[in-house]
Amino acid sequence: MAASNYSLKVNRDLLDPNFESYRLSLDAIPTYNVELDAAVEEVKLKDSQYTLEHMRAFGMYNYLHLDPWYEDSVLFVDCKGRVLSLTVTLDTALGKPREVYNITTESSQCEDRLCASLSLTSATWVALSDGAGRLYLLRTGKRGDSSHVKWETLFSEDMGEPFTILHSISHVKDKLHTMELLLLRIQKDPQETKGSGYSVSLEWITVANTAAHGQEKKYEVKKRRVLRGKSVPHYAALEPQGKGMMLASEKPFVFTHVDGLPVEQPGPEPMEVEKTDPIYFWQQTAEDITLCVRMPEGFIKEEVQFRLMADNISIGVQGFAALLEGQLYASVDPEASTWIIKNDKSLEVTLQKRSEGPMWPELVMGDRRGEYVMNDEQAALIHERLTFLTSEDLNGNPDKDKPPCNSQELEDCDGFPEDSFSLTHFDGDSLKPTQVVNLGSHQYLFTVDVNPSDMPCLCLRHDVDALVWQPRPDQPSNMWEHIATFNALGYVQASKRDKKFATCAPNFSYASLCECLRRSFIYRQPSPVETVLFNRKQGRQIGQVAKQQVASLDSDKPILGFRATNERLYILTSSHLFVLKLMDEILASL
């Protein structure tokens, strides 16, 4: 199964071209805190864990976990191995976090121990790692109930080297309750001689109930699949039914082992590959597109099958498979588009763009069988814009006092990734990538759970904005849907040099960033203003204002966890759990 290139399609209706800026609001943010009985279990990196990947995976780990099934319920693990849960109903009367589970103390003896990690698998199941290589699957009951039921261990097994849990899901397969988990490890790699000496390993584990109907539940590992790469993924999640997975990483991953057996890797491509002629050629201007499709010999006008809608096109000949079919990069006006037969050999189609101006990077999404032909005017314009990059001298601007940067002296975190940053969908059966998105300059910002029944959303920078994308694995033609926008957040967050975590409310009413110490920044969506405001420069009335707020914690401890709900922001330090009340201002005024 060959992977097809895919482009993220921005929903223009969710963009605000007239957005100006955030206005600093001095409104006080009600802040409450709970003092912890024991410190949070923060694991410091050792001298041997020196790479950038160790820092990304474990040094920047978010120790606070938000329960997506039960609103305003958070969990964390303290230094005594206790899993503690706090559900907030009344901010002014915060109770103490209650213990729901206790990890055995044997894990503290592990030399390369990592931080304990949690994954809320379903409304009644949790996956837990002790940081020393043991995996627990715990039946929790309905965690939102006030009965305070202790969690029950139904699976406990040593999985080898220490790991953290990235994601987990629960589903029923062949009438058996099944759980899928994604584990992250950074391992020494003897073959990695030029770099850090480490590689990144992702293990996809399937655990299922093997007990007969009516017997006591017995869970066993049914399948283990290993992927390897050279960078910690920014995003990694499994599909709701375990049929595939998605990864966003700076360097590619490939499946290497299944149940301990190596996966056959595709051989190297031959040096000379026969180049096939393009099926179609296309040109464009700011207003329209001209498409020329090669047709079968001897065809006549009555045999042409042409179908055009605003976002789709299909061209073929009766009795043959469609020559060109798929989703257009952007919308066209079908009524203003035409086609004619040229020289009895080809079909020339003129497509009228619905939105004038933007140039299309491709004609049909994911179709690479055509060739783009640039006209002389466009080529001259590009050449003019790039002339400043060229010089007749070998060193056009010598500066001996400040020699040019030597790329070999750069640290890993300073260098630009060798491979392009990509978002990949892997099929669970073939273990091959099916769709790949080249994210290029779209910087990853954060991951957020919007609906626990869906895959987690990822937020990417697009120009100055931050766009939230919802994976839709059941929609191959629109696998990543643009569902929300935070205006100018991509630009704003780039100025926060001390930024540690970022997140947003599940209803997208605000986004928030926090620094390593004390400060957090809240950026609200534009909301109606109560007073009349005018833009003096443009002489127009302003109906909405986007507010920025800054909260500073009364603590000198580093921030270890950071989560957001629709009404509250939760910040965890080693000694306190802070709760910031951020109820939507519109609702608060009702």
Side-chain angles (χ1 to χ4, degrees):
M1 182 184 297
S4 61
N5 291 328
Y6 184 90
S7 298
L8 296 177
K9 191 169 184 180
V10 176
N11 184 350
R12 303 290 174 184
D13 294 335
L14 297 179
L15 301 182
D16 183 5
N18 297 318
F19 182 81
E20 295 179 347
S21 64
Y22 289 97
R23 307 295 182 185
L24 181 63
S25 171
L26 300 180
D27 295 340
I29 300 176
T31 303
Y32 311 90
N33 72 85
V34 177
E35 186 175 0
L36 307 180
D37 296 333
V40 176
E41 187 193 32
E42 181 186 7
V43 177
K44 303 289 187 180
L45 294 180
K46 300 178 177 60
D47 291 341
S48 59
Q49 300 169 323
Y50 58 85
T51 68
L52 176 62
E53 307 313 319
H54 282 96
M55 176 57 68
R56 284 178 173 173
F58 313 127
M60 300 290 286
Y61 184 74
N62 196 333
Y63 287 82
L64 191 62
H65 307 275
L66 181 67
D67 195 332
W69 278 271
Y70 302 99
E71 190 173 4
D72 287 293
S73 181
V74 292
L75 303 101
F76 60 93
V77 182
D78 69 7
C79 61
K80 296 180 179 180
R82 299 180 302 171
V83 180
L84 300 175
S85 172
L86 176 67
T87 300
V88 178
T89 53
L90 185 61
D91 301 85
T92 55
L94 294 178
K96 286 284 187 180
R98 63 182 179 89
E99 179 183 336
V100 293
Y101 191 77
N102 200 323
I103 305 174
T104 56
T105 56
E106 298 175 1
S107 61
S108 60
Q109 306 298 324
C110 178
E111 181 180 352
D112 296 325
R113 185 166 177 265
L114 304 174
C115 50
S117 57
L118 267 175
S119 177
L120 289 305
T121 306
S122 72
T124 56
W125 284 85
V126 163
L128 172 65
S129 163
D130 65 353
R134 180 164 289 274
L135 174 66
Y136 300 88
L137 296 181
L138 311 172
R139 185 166 57 185
T140 66
K142 293 187 176 181
R143 297 185 291 273
D145 291 351
S146 58
S147 56
H148 303 332
V149 178
K150 284 289 187 80
W151 297 354
E152 179 186 3
T153 305
L154 289 186
F155 176 88
S156 174
E157 188 171 317
D158 191 339
M159 307 303 292
E161 294 185 35
F163 59 88
T164 56
I165 305 174
L166 293 183
H167 190 232
S168 63
I169 59 166
S170 173
H171 64 102
V172 176
K173 183 178 182 181
D174 299 329
K175 298 182 179 181
L176 296 177
H177 178 223
T178 303
M179 282 171 282
E180 315 275 354
L181 303 102
L182 204 54
L183 315 181
L184 170 68
R185 296 182 178 93
I186 297 181
Q187 301 171 313
K188 286 191 174 182
D189 188 351
Q191 299 180 353
E192 183 70 15
T193 57
K194 295 182 180 180
S196 64
Y198 288 87
S199 65
V200 179
S201 168
L202 293 178
E203 187 171 16
W204 177 1
I205 294 179
T206 301
V207 180
N209 178 24
T210 58
H213 181 70
Q215 296 182 356
E216 185 179 356
K217 293 182 180 294
K218 182 182 179 183
Y219 287 85
E220 295 180 356
V221 176
K222 304 297 292 183
K223 197 169 186 179
R224 302 179 71 162
R225 291 141 287 194
V226 177
L227 304 89
R228 289 196 179 275
K230 294 184 179 180
S231 66
V232 172
H234 294 289
Y235 174 93
L238 298 165
E239 292 184 18
Q241 297 300 318
K243 296 181 180 179
M245 65 177 296
M246 295 185 187
L247 284 178
S249 59
E250 293 179 0
K251 297 184 180 180
F253 277 78
V254 293
F255 280 90
T256 59
H257 293 80
V258 175
D259 293 331
L261 301 177
V263 175
E264 183 178 353
Q265 301 297 331
E269 296 184 0
M271 293 297 292
E272 295 184 2
V273 179
E274 183 179 354
K275 185 177 179 181
T276 57
D277 293 332
I279 294 178
Y280 62 90
F281 298 87
W282 66 290
Q283 284 185 326
Q284 65 176 319
T285 65
E287 297 81 19
D288 57 33
I289 288 176
T290 302
L291 166 67
C292 186
V293 183
R294 296 169 54 193
M295 305 293 279
E297 186 176 352
F299 82 101
I300 58 177
K301 179 180 180 181
E302 288 72 18
E303 295 175 336
V304 175
Q305 293 181 336
F306 180 85
R307 181 172 55 85
L308 178 65
M309 293 185 291
D311 297 310
N312 284 271
I313 189 172
S314 177
I315 300 175
V317 176
Q318 187 176 351
F320 294 88
L323 297 172
L324 179 62
E325 186 176 26
Q327 181 182 354
L328 295 169
Y329 177 78
S331 298
V332 299
D333 183 359
E335 299 296 330
S337 302
T338 61
W339 63 269
I340 60 172
I341 297 175
K342 295 201 68 175
N343 302 325
D344 296 330
K345 294 181 180 180
S346 62
L347 195 72
E348 185 177 288
V349 182
T350 302
L351 303 175
Q352 188 72 31
K353 293 182 180 179
R354 183 155 285 176
S355 299
E356 294 185 6
M359 305 300 281
W360 294 13
E362 58 182 339
L363 179 64
V364 175
M365 304 281 275
D367 194 301
R368 297 292 180 269
R369 299 173 301 160
E371 182 177 317
Y372 178 64
V373 181
M374 189 177 298
N375 59 42
D376 295 340
E377 182 180 348
Q378 292 172 335
L381 180 61
I382 292 176
H383 176 74
E384 180 182 350
R385 290 179 177 176
L386 297 180
T387 49
F388 75 97
L389 296 175
T390 63
S391 172
E392 296 179 357
D393 301 328
L394 183 62
N395 186 359
N397 186 24
D399 192 344
K400 297 181 180 180
D401 296 332
K402 297 180 180 179
C405 174
N406 183 356
S407 60
Q408 295 180 351
E409 297 176 355
L410 294 175
E411 299 288 343
D412 286 345
C413 58
D414 298 322
F416 192 82
E418 295 178 4
D419 305 291
S420 59
F421 179 25
S422 63
L423 175 60
T424 306
H425 173 263
F426 288 91
D427 179 71
D429 294 326
S430 67
L431 305 182
K432 302 291 185 184
T434 62
Q435 294 199 17
V436 179
V437 179
N438 183 359
L439 296 179
S441 60
H442 300 316
Q443 177 189 3
Y444 168 85
L445 300 180
F446 58 83
T447 299
V448 61
D449 281 300
V450 174
N451 185 344
S453 61
D454 293 330
M455 296 181 70
C457 298
L458 69 159
C459 185
L460 304 173
R461 178 176 178 175
H462 286 246
D463 196 12
V464 298
D465 295 332
L467 275 54
V468 180
W469 299 89
Q470 174 66 65
R472 306 286 188 195
D474 56 337
Q475 302 176 11
S477 61
N478 189 27
M479 192 167 284
W480 293 279
E481 180 186 359
H482 174 204
I483 60 173
T485 300
F486 291 103
N487 299 302
L489 185 65
Y491 176 79
V492 168
Q493 64 85 33
S495 65
K496 309 299 182 187
R497 300 187 60 181
D498 295 329
K499 182 190 73 172
K500 186 172 185 179
F501 298 118
T503 187
C504 75
N507 64 0
F508 312 119
S509 57
Y510 69 90
S512 187
L513 317 172
C514 79
E515 296 180 339
C516 298
L517 288 170
R518 291 194 181 90
R519 292 199 303 174
S520 59
F521 304 87
I522 298 97
Y523 301 93
R524 297 183 182 271
Q525 295 283 17
S527 59
V529 294
E530 298 177 356
T531 58
V532 178
L533 296 179
F534 279 89
N535 185 314
R536 294 180 180 179
K537 291 183 178 180
Q538 300 179 4
R540 62 180 179 86
Q541 184 175 342
I542 298 175
Q544 291 185 323
V545 169
K547 293 183 179 181
Q548 172 193 346
Q549 292 175 282
V550 182
S552 184
L553 303 180
D554 184 16
S555 173
D556 58 354
K557 303 290 180 65
I559 293 176
L560 301 179
F562 190 68
R563 300 291 181 181
T565 66
N566 293 336
E567 295 186 2
R568 298 175 179 90
L569 194 62
Y570 295 86
I571 304 177
L572 181 68
T573 67
S574 60
S575 60
H576 287 79
L577 176 60
F578 292 85
V579 180
L580 281 63
K581 183 69 171 178
L582 297 178
M583 179 182 287
D584 191 287
E585 294 177 358
I586 299 177
L587 295 177
S589 63
L590 295 178

